[in-house]
Coordinates of all heavy atoms in Angstrom, one line a residue:
Chain B
I130 N 6.2 31.0 -12.8 CA 6.4 29.6 -12.2 C 6.7 28.6 -13.2 O 6.8 27.4 -12.9 CB 5.3 29.2 -11.3 CG1 4.0 29.0 -12.1 CG2 5.0 30.1 -10.1 CD1 2.9 28.4 -11.3
S131 N 7.0 29.0 -14.5 CA 7.2 28.0 -15.5 C 8.7 27.6 -15.5 O 9.0 26.5 -16.0 CB 6.9 28.6 -16.9 OG 7.7 29.7 -17.1
S132 N 9.6 28.3 -14.9 CA 11.0 27.9 -14.8 C 11.8 28.7 -13.8 O 11.2 29.7 -13.2 CB 11.6 28.2 -16.2 OG 11.6 29.5 -16.5
G133 N 13.0 28.3 -13.6 CA 13.9 29.0 -12.7 C 13.6 29.0 -11.2 O 12.9 28.1 -10.7
A134 N 14.2 29.9 -10.6 CA 14.1 30.0 -9.1 C 12.7 30.1 -8.6 O 12.3 29.6 -7.6 CB 15.0 31.1 -8.6
A135 N 11.9 30.9 -9.4 CA 10.5 31.1 -8.9 C 9.7 29.8 -9.0 O 8.9 29.6 -8.1 CB 9.8 32.2 -9.8
R136 N 10.0 29.0 -10.0 CA 9.3 27.7 -10.0 C 9.7 26.8 -8.9 O 8.8 26.2 -8.2 CB 9.6 27.0 -11.4 CG 9.0 25.6 -11.5 CD 9.5 25.0 -12.8 NE 8.9 23.7 -13.0 CZ 7.7 23.4 -13.4 NH1 6.9 24.3 -13.8 NH2 7.3 22.1 -13.5
R137 N 11.0 26.8 -8.6 CA 11.4 26.0 -7.4 C 10.8 26.5 -6.1 O 10.4 25.7 -5.3 CB 13.0 26.1 -7.4 CG 13.6 25.4 -6.2 CD 15.1 25.3 -6.4 NE 15.7 25.2 -5.1 CZ 17.0 25.0 -4.9 NH1 17.8 25.0 -6.0 NH2 17.5 24.9 -3.7
A138 N 10.8 27.8 -6.0 CA 10.2 28.4 -4.7 C 8.7 28.1 -4.7 O 8.2 27.7 -3.6 CB 10.4 29.9 -4.7
Y139 N 8.1 28.1 -5.8 CA 6.6 27.9 -5.8 C 6.4 26.4 -5.4 O 5.5 26.1 -4.6 CB 6.1 28.2 -7.2 CG 4.7 27.5 -7.5 CD1 3.6 28.0 -6.8 CD2 4.6 26.5 -8.4 CE1 2.4 27.4 -7.0 CE2 3.4 25.9 -8.6 CZ 2.3 26.3 -7.9 OH 1.0 25.7 -8.1
L140 N 7.1 25.5 -6.1 CA 6.9 24.1 -5.8 C 7.3 23.7 -4.3 O 6.6 22.9 -3.7 CB 7.7 23.2 -6.8 CG 7.2 23.3 -8.2 CD1 8.1 22.5 -9.2 CD2 5.8 22.7 -8.3
A141 N 8.3 24.3 -3.9 CA 8.7 24.1 -2.5 C 7.6 24.6 -1.5 O 7.3 23.9 -0.5 CB 10.0 24.9 -2.2
K142 N 7.0 25.7 -1.9 CA 5.9 26.2 -1.0 C 4.7 25.2 -1.1 O 4.1 25.0 -0.1 CB 5.5 27.6 -1.5 CG 4.4 28.2 -0.7 CD 4.0 29.6 -1.3 CE 2.8 30.1 -0.6 NZ 1.6 29.3 -0.9
Q143 N 4.4 24.7 -2.3 CA 3.3 23.8 -2.4 C 3.6 22.6 -1.5 O 2.7 22.1 -0.7 CB 3.3 23.2 -3.8 CG 2.8 24.2 -4.9 CD 1.3 24.3 -4.9 OE1 0.6 23.3 -4.9 NE2 0.8 25.5 -4.7
L144 N 4.8 22.1 -1.5 CA 5.2 20.9 -0.7 C 5.2 21.2 0.7 O 4.7 20.4 1.6 CB 6.6 20.5 -1.2 CG 7.0 19.0 -0.8 CD1 6.0 18.0 -1.2 CD2 8.4 18.7 -1.4
R145 N 5.7 22.4 1.1 CA 5.7 22.8 2.5 C 4.3 22.9 3.1 O 4.0 22.4 4.2 CB 6.4 24.1 2.7 CG 6.7 24.5 4.1 CD 6.7 26.0 4.3 NE 5.5 26.6 3.9 CZ 5.4 27.9 3.6 NH1 6.5 28.7 3.6 NH2 4.3 28.4 3.2
D146 N 3.3 23.5 2.3 CA 2.0 23.6 2.7 C 1.4 22.2 2.9 O 0.6 21.9 3.9 CB 1.1 24.3 1.7 CG 1.5 25.8 1.6 OD1 2.2 26.2 2.5 OD2 1.1 26.5 0.7
A147 N 1.7 21.3 2.0 CA 1.2 19.9 2.1 C 1.8 19.2 3.4 O 1.0 18.5 4.1 CB 1.5 19.1 0.9
V148 N 3.0 19.4 3.6 CA 3.7 18.9 4.8 C 3.0 19.4 6.1 O 2.7 18.7 7.0 CB 5.2 19.2 4.8 CG1 5.8 19.0 6.2 CG2 5.9 18.3 3.8
W149 N 2.7 20.7 6.0 CA 2.0 21.3 7.2 C 0.6 20.7 7.4 O 0.3 20.3 8.6 CB 1.9 22.8 6.9 CG 1.4 23.6 8.1 CD1 2.2 24.1 9.0 CD2 0.1 24.0 8.4 NE1 1.4 24.8 10.0 CE2 0.1 24.7 9.6 CE3 -1.2 23.7 7.8 CZ2 -1.0 25.2 10.2 CZ3 -2.3 24.2 8.4 CH2 -2.2 25.0 9.6
H150 N -0.1 20.5 6.3 CA -1.4 19.8 6.5 C -1.3 18.4 7.0 O -2.0 17.9 7.8 CB -2.2 19.8 5.2 CG -2.8 21.1 4.8 ND1 -3.8 21.7 5.6 CD2 -2.5 22.1 3.9 CE1 -4.1 22.9 5.1 NE2 -3.3 23.1 4.1
E151 N -0.3 17.7 6.5 CA 0.0 16.3 6.8 C 0.3 16.2 8.3 O -0.1 15.3 9.1 CB 1.1 15.7 6.0 CG 1.5 14.3 6.2 CD 0.5 13.3 5.6 OE1 -0.4 13.8 4.9 OE2 0.5 12.2 6.0
H152 N 1.1 17.2 8.8 CA 1.5 17.2 10.2 C 0.4 17.4 11.1 O 0.4 16.9 12.2 CB 2.5 18.4 10.3 CG 3.2 18.4 11.7 ND1 4.2 17.5 12.0 CD2 3.1 19.2 12.8 CE1 4.6 17.7 13.2 NE2 4.0 18.7 13.7
R153 N -0.6 18.1 10.7 CA -1.8 18.4 11.5 C -2.9 17.4 11.4 O -3.9 17.5 12.0 CB -2.4 19.8 11.3 CG -1.7 20.8 12.1 CD -1.6 22.2 11.5 NE -0.7 23.0 12.2 CZ 0.6 22.9 12.2 NH1 1.2 22.0 11.5 NH2 1.4 23.7 13.0
K154 N -2.7 16.4 10.6 CA -3.6 15.3 10.4 C -3.8 14.6 11.7 O -2.9 14.2 12.4 CB -3.1 14.4 9.3 CG -4.2 13.5 8.7 CD -3.6 12.8 7.5 CE -2.6 11.8 7.9 NZ -2.0 11.1 6.7
T155 N -5.1 14.4 12.1 CA -5.3 13.8 13.4 C -5.3 12.2 13.3 O -4.9 11.5 14.2 CB -6.7 14.2 14.0 OG1 -7.7 14.1 13.0 CG2 -6.6 15.7 14.5
D156 N -5.8 11.7 12.2 CA -5.9 10.3 12.0 C -4.7 9.8 11.2 O -4.6 10.1 9.9 CB -7.2 9.9 11.4 CG -7.4 8.4 11.2 OD1 -6.5 7.7 11.6 OD2 -8.3 8.0 10.5
S157 N -3.8 9.1 11.8 CA -2.6 8.7 11.0 C -2.9 7.6 10.0 O -2.1 7.4 9.1 CB -1.5 8.1 12.0 OG -2.1 7.0 12.7
A158 N -4.1 7.0 10.1 CA -4.4 6.0 9.1 C -4.9 6.6 7.7 O -5.0 6.0 6.7 CB -5.5 5.1 9.6
Q159 N -5.2 8.0 7.8 CA -5.6 8.6 6.6 C -4.5 8.6 5.5 O -3.4 8.5 5.8 CB -5.9 10.1 6.9 CG -7.3 10.4 7.3 CD -7.4 11.9 7.6 OE1 -6.5 12.6 8.0 NE2 -8.6 12.4 7.3
A160 N -5.0 8.6 4.2 CA -4.0 8.6 3.1 C -3.2 9.9 3.2 O -3.7 10.9 3.7 CB -4.8 8.5 1.8
P161 N -2.0 9.9 2.7 CA -1.1 11.1 2.7 C -1.8 12.2 1.9 O -2.6 11.9 1.0 CB 0.2 10.6 2.0 CG 0.1 9.2 1.9 CD -1.3 8.7 2.1
H162 N -1.4 13.4 2.2 CA -2.0 14.6 1.5 C -1.7 14.4 0.0 O -0.7 13.9 -0.5 CB -1.3 15.8 2.0 CG -1.9 17.1 1.6 ND1 -1.6 17.7 0.4 CD2 -2.9 17.9 2.1 CE1 -2.3 18.8 0.2 NE2 -3.1 18.9 1.3
D163 N -2.8 14.8 -0.8 CA -2.7 14.7 -2.3 C -1.4 15.2 -2.9 O -0.7 14.5 -3.7 CB -3.8 15.5 -2.9 CG -5.1 14.7 -3.0 OD1 -5.0 13.5 -2.7 OD2 -6.1 15.2 -3.4
T164 N -1.0 16.4 -2.4 CA 0.2 17.0 -3.0 C 1.4 16.2 -2.8 O 2.3 16.1 -3.6 CB 0.3 18.4 -2.4 OG1 -0.9 19.1 -2.7 CG2 1.5 19.2 -3.1
I165 N 1.5 15.6 -1.6 CA 2.7 14.7 -1.3 C 2.7 13.5 -2.2 O 3.8 13.2 -2.8 CB 2.7 14.3 0.2 CG1 2.9 15.5 1.1 CG2 3.8 13.3 0.5 CD1 2.9 15.3 2.6
G166 N 1.5 12.9 -2.4 CA 1.5 11.8 -3.3 C 1.9 12.2 -4.7 O 2.6 11.5 -5.4
I167 N 1.4 13.4 -5.2 CA 1.7 13.8 -6.5 C 3.2 14.1 -6.6 O 3.9 13.8 -7.6 CB 0.9 15.1 -6.9 CG1 -0.5 14.8 -7.0 CG2 1.5 15.8 -8.1 CD1 -1.5 16.0 -7.1
Y168 N 3.8 14.7 -5.6 CA 5.2 15.0 -5.6 C 6.0 13.7 -5.7 O 7.0 13.6 -6.5 CB 5.6 15.7 -4.3 CG 7.1 15.8 -4.0 CD1 7.9 16.7 -4.7 CD2 7.7 14.9 -3.2 CE1 9.3 16.7 -4.5 CE2 9.1 14.8 -3.0 CZ 9.9 15.8 -3.7 OH 11.2 15.7 -3.5
L169 N 5.6 12.7 -4.8 CA 6.4 11.4 -4.9 C 6.3 10.7 -6.2 O 7.2 10.1 -6.7 CB 5.9 10.5 -3.7 CG 6.3 11.0 -2.3 CD1 5.6 10.1 -1.2 CD2 7.8 11.0 -2.1
D170 N 5.1 10.8 -6.8 CA 4.9 10.3 -8.2 C 5.9 10.9 -9.1 O 6.5 10.2 -10.0 CB 3.5 10.6 -8.7 CG 2.5 9.5 -8.1 OD1 2.9 8.6 -7.5 OD2 1.3 9.7 -8.4
A171 N 6.0 12.2 -9.1 CA 6.9 12.9 -10.0 C 8.3 12.5 -9.7 O 9.1 12.4 -10.7 CB 6.7 14.4 -9.8
F172 N 8.6 12.3 -8.5 CA 10.0 11.9 -8.1 C 10.3 10.5 -8.7 O 11.3 10.3 -9.3 CB 10.1 11.9 -6.6 CG 11.4 11.5 -6.0 CD1 12.6 12.2 -6.3 CD2 11.5 10.3 -5.3 CE1 13.8 11.8 -5.8 CE2 12.8 9.8 -4.9 CZ 13.9 10.6 -5.1
E173 N 9.3 9.6 -8.5 CA 9.5 8.3 -9.0 C 9.6 8.3 -10.6 O 10.3 7.5 -11.2 CB 8.3 7.4 -8.6 CG 8.2 7.3 -7.1 CD 8.7 5.9 -6.6 OE1 9.1 5.1 -7.4 OE2 8.7 5.8 -5.4
R174 N 8.8 9.2 -11.2 CA 8.8 9.3 -12.6 C 10.2 9.7 -13.1 O 10.7 9.2 -14.1 CB 7.8 10.3 -13.1 CG 7.4 10.2 -14.6 CD 6.4 11.3 -14.9 NE 5.1 11.1 -14.3 CZ 4.1 10.4 -14.8 NH1 4.3 9.9 -16.1 NH2 3.0 10.2 -14.2
G175 N 10.8 10.6 -12.4 CA 12.2 11.0 -12.7 C 13.2 9.9 -12.6 O 14.1 9.7 -13.5
L176 N 13.0 9.0 -11.6 CA 13.9 7.9 -11.4 C 13.7 6.9 -12.5 O 14.6 6.3 -13.1 CB 13.6 7.2 -10.1 CG 14.1 8.0 -8.8 CD1 13.5 7.4 -7.6 CD2 15.6 8.1 -8.8
D177 N 12.4 6.6 -12.9 CA 12.1 5.6 -13.9 C 12.7 6.0 -15.3 O 13.1 5.2 -16.0 CB 10.6 5.5 -14.1 CG 10.0 4.6 -12.9 OD1 10.8 3.8 -12.4 OD2 8.8 4.7 -12.6
S178 N 12.7 7.3 -15.5 CA 13.2 7.8 -16.8 C 14.7 8.1 -16.7 O 15.3 8.6 -17.7 CB 12.4 9.0 -17.3 OG 12.4 10.0 -16.3
N179 N 15.3 7.8 -15.6 CA 16.7 8.1 -15.4 C 17.0 9.6 -15.7 O 18.1 9.9 -16.2 CB 17.6 7.2 -16.2 CG 19.0 7.0 -15.6 OD1 19.2 7.5 -14.5 ND2 19.8 6.3 -16.3
D180 N 16.1 10.4 -15.3 CA 16.2 11.9 -15.6 C 16.9 12.5 -14.4 O 16.2 13.0 -13.5 CB 14.8 12.4 -15.9 CG 14.8 13.9 -16.3 OD1 15.9 14.5 -16.2 OD2 13.8 14.4 -16.7
V181 N 18.2 12.6 -14.4 CA 18.9 13.1 -13.2 C 18.6 14.5 -12.9 O 18.3 14.9 -11.7 CB 20.4 12.8 -13.4 CG1 21.2 13.4 -12.2 CG2 20.7 11.4 -13.5
P182 N 18.5 15.4 -13.9 CA 18.1 16.8 -13.6 C 16.8 16.9 -12.9 O 16.6 17.7 -11.9 CB 18.1 17.5 -14.9 CG 19.0 16.7 -15.8 CD 18.9 15.3 -15.3
A183 N 15.8 16.1 -13.4 CA 14.5 16.1 -12.7 C 14.6 15.6 -11.3 O 14.0 16.2 -10.4 CB 13.5 15.3 -13.5
V184 N 15.3 14.6 -11.1 CA 15.5 14.1 -9.7 C 16.1 15.1 -8.8 O 15.7 15.4 -7.7 CB 16.3 12.8 -9.7 CG1 16.7 12.4 -8.3 CG2 15.6 11.7 -10.4
R185 N 17.1 15.8 -9.3 CA 17.8 16.8 -8.5 C 16.8 18.0 -8.2 O 16.9 18.6 -7.1 CB 19.0 17.3 -9.2 CG 20.0 16.2 -9.5 CD 21.4 16.8 -9.7 NE 22.0 17.2 -8.5 CZ 23.3 17.3 -8.3 NH1 24.1 17.1 -9.3 NH2 23.8 17.7 -7.2
E186 N 16.0 18.3 -9.2 CA 15.0 19.4 -9.0 C 14.1 19.0 -7.8 O 13.8 19.8 -7.0 CB 14.2 19.7 -10.2 CG 14.9 20.6 -11.2 CD 14.2 20.7 -12.5 OE1 13.0 20.4 -12.6 OE2 14.8 21.0 -13.5
R187 N 13.6 17.8 -7.9 CA 12.6 17.3 -6.9 C 13.3 17.3 -5.5 O 12.7 17.7 -4.5 CB 12.1 15.9 -7.1 CG 11.3 15.6 -8.4 CD 10.0 16.3 -8.5 NE 10.1 17.7 -8.9 CZ 10.3 18.1 -10.2 NH1 10.4 17.2 -11.1 NH2 10.5 19.3 -10.5
V188 N 14.5 16.9 -5.5 CA 15.3 16.9 -4.2 C 15.4 18.3 -3.7 O 15.2 18.6 -2.5 CB 16.6 16.2 -4.3 CG1 17.5 16.4 -3.1 CG2 16.4 14.7 -4.5
A189 N 15.8 19.2 -4.6 CA 16.0 20.6 -4.2 C 14.7 21.2 -3.6 O 14.7 21.9 -2.6 CB 16.5 21.5 -5.4
E190 N 13.6 20.9 -4.3 CA 12.3 21.4 -3.8 C 12.0 20.9 -2.4 O 11.6 21.6 -1.5 CB 11.2 21.0 -4.7 CG 11.2 21.7 -6.1 CD 10.6 20.8 -7.2 OE1 10.0 19.8 -6.9 OE2 10.9 21.2 -8.4
L191 N 12.3 19.6 -2.2 CA 12.1 19.0 -0.9 C 12.9 19.6 0.2 O 12.4 19.9 1.3 CB 12.4 17.5 -1.0 CG 12.4 16.7 0.4 CD1 11.0 16.7 1.0 CD2 12.9 15.3 0.2
L192 N 14.2 19.8 -0.1 CA 15.1 20.4 0.9 C 14.7 21.8 1.3 O 14.7 22.2 2.4 CB 16.5 20.3 0.4 CG 17.1 19.0 0.1 CD1 18.6 19.0 0.0 CD2 16.7 17.9 1.1
D193 N 14.2 22.6 0.2 CA 13.7 23.9 0.5 C 12.5 23.9 1.4 O 12.3 24.7 2.3 CB 13.4 24.6 -0.8 CG 14.6 25.1 -1.6 OD1 15.7 24.9 -1.0 OD2 14.5 25.6 -2.7
A194 N 11.6 23.0 1.0 CA 10.3 22.9 1.8 C 10.6 22.5 3.2 O 10.0 23.0 4.2 CB 9.4 21.8 1.1
A195 N 11.5 21.5 3.4 CA 11.8 21.1 4.8 C 12.5 22.2 5.6 O 12.2 22.3 6.8 CB 12.7 19.8 4.7
S196 N 13.3 23.0 4.9 CA 14.0 24.0 5.6 C 13.0 25.1 6.1 O 13.2 25.8 7.1 CB 15.0 24.7 4.7 OG 16.0 23.8 4.3
D197 N 11.9 25.2 5.4 CA 10.9 26.2 5.7 C 9.7 25.7 6.5 O 8.7 26.4 6.6 CB 10.4 26.8 4.3 CG 9.9 28.2 4.5 OD1 10.3 28.8 5.5 OD2 9.2 28.6 3.6
A198 N 9.9 24.5 7.0 CA 8.7 23.9 7.7 C 9.0 23.6 9.1 O 8.8 22.5 9.7 CB 8.4 22.5 7.0
Q199 N 9.5 24.7 9.8 CA 9.9 24.5 11.2 C 8.7 24.0 12.1 O 8.9 23.2 13.0 CB 10.4 25.8 11.8 CG 11.8 26.2 11.3 CD 11.6 27.1 10.1 OE1 10.5 27.2 9.5 NE2 12.7 27.8 9.7
D200 N 7.5 24.5 11.7 CA 6.3 24.1 12.5 C 5.8 22.7 12.2 O 4.8 22.2 12.8 CB 5.2 25.2 12.4 CG 4.9 25.4 10.9 OD1 5.7 25.0 10.1 OD2 3.9 26.2 10.7

Side-chain angles (χ1 to χ4, degrees):
Chain B
I130 63 174
S131 63
S132 62
R136 178 182 176 83
R137 176 170 156 178
Y139 162 69
L140 292 174
K142 179 179 170 296
Q143 290 279 308
L144 196 54
R145 189 206 59 201
D146 292 348
V148 164
W149 190 86
H150 283 292
E151 183 74 10
H152 190 72
R153 271 149 190 78
K154 199 169 68 180
T155 47
D156 180 6
S157 60
Q159 270 181 325
H162 191 275
D163 272 356
T164 305
I165 293 179
I167 291 170
Y168 166 81
L169 290 173
D170 277 353
F172 178 67
E173 299 259 357
R174 197 182 291 268
L176 289 171
D177 282 335
S178 54
N179 206 6
D180 183 350
V181 176
V184 169
R185 299 199 79 158
E186 278 173 20
R187 297 296 83 75
V188 169
E190 290 150 15
L191 172 65
L192 303 194
D193 285 354
S196 297
D197 205 18
Q199 291 92 344
D200 50 353

